[in-house]
Amino acid sequence: MKDFKKRWEITQNWQFIHIILGLIAALFSAYLIARAIYVPAYDTSVPVATILLSLPIAFLIIWITLWLFKKLYSRWGVTYRWELVAIFLAFAVTGSTAGRLSNPLMDLIGLSKDVTTGWIYWPVRILLIFPIYQVLLVIFGWIFGQYAFFKAFATKMVSRMGLGFLFPKKA
């Protein structure tokens, strides 16, 4: 356990929650991918094949994530490795939440997917998701203890898109 704490630079026990949530998210994502791949027409229950298929997918997700950790650790300038898990979790929750919130908002403004052509629906939805995503990114960054990182990240993203005037620099 000491080696594990040393490798992930965990100094307090509450920081384990990020590792546990990251593993749960990887396993759940693998299960959802496996369920999408293996859909038998005759069975509505969860087949054993889906669960067995989710194990190598989970391994692949964790392997890719650890590879990304090596690349992003110094680039993002985080202090501890467990912070990368918190950052990845915040990105995942933010993206999912922004996508979920955009559906009812599109219906509210009268642009349902059923009655609107894709040439109008998708650009409007993307334009609608962008500000929601920026706000949620900072909120979930705060919840996961990474407020400073996500505030700087959102500001940089907005300024690179030519919208830097929304966040004027302090004199």
Side-chain angles (χ1 to χ4, degrees), residues 27 30-35 37-38 46-60:
L27 290 170
Y31 171 75
L32 292 177
I33 292 169
R35 200 173 83 183
I37 292 170
Y38 181 75
V46 179
V48 175
T50 304
I51 295 171
L52 291 176
L53 181 60
S54 65
L55 294 176
I57 295 171
F59 176 80
L60 184 65

Side-chain angles (χ1 to χ4, degrees), residues 7 9 11 15-16 31 34 48 71-72 75 91 93 95 106 113 118 120 129 137 156 165 169:
R7 175 178 289 148
E9 300 169 344
T11 57
Q15 296 164 344
F16 275 114
Y31 171 75
V48 175
K71 299 288 183 189
L72 297 174
R75 183 175 179 185
F91 274 126
V93 172
M106 290 294 287
K113 190 175 184 178
I120 295 172
I129 287 176
L137 194 61
K156 185 191 282 187
F165 61 89
K169 295 185 180 190

Side-chain angles (χ1 to χ4, degrees), residues 16-33 54-55 57-59 61-62 65 85 89 92-93 144:
F16 275 114
I17 191 71
H18 295 102
I19 306 299
I20 292 167
L21 287 174
L23 289 173
I24 290 170
L27 290 170
F28 184 64
S29 298
Y31 171 75
L32 292 177
I33 292 169
S54 65
L55 294 176
I57 295 171
F59 176 80
I61 289 171
I62 292 170
T65 303
V85 177
L89 287 170
V93 172
F144 283 98

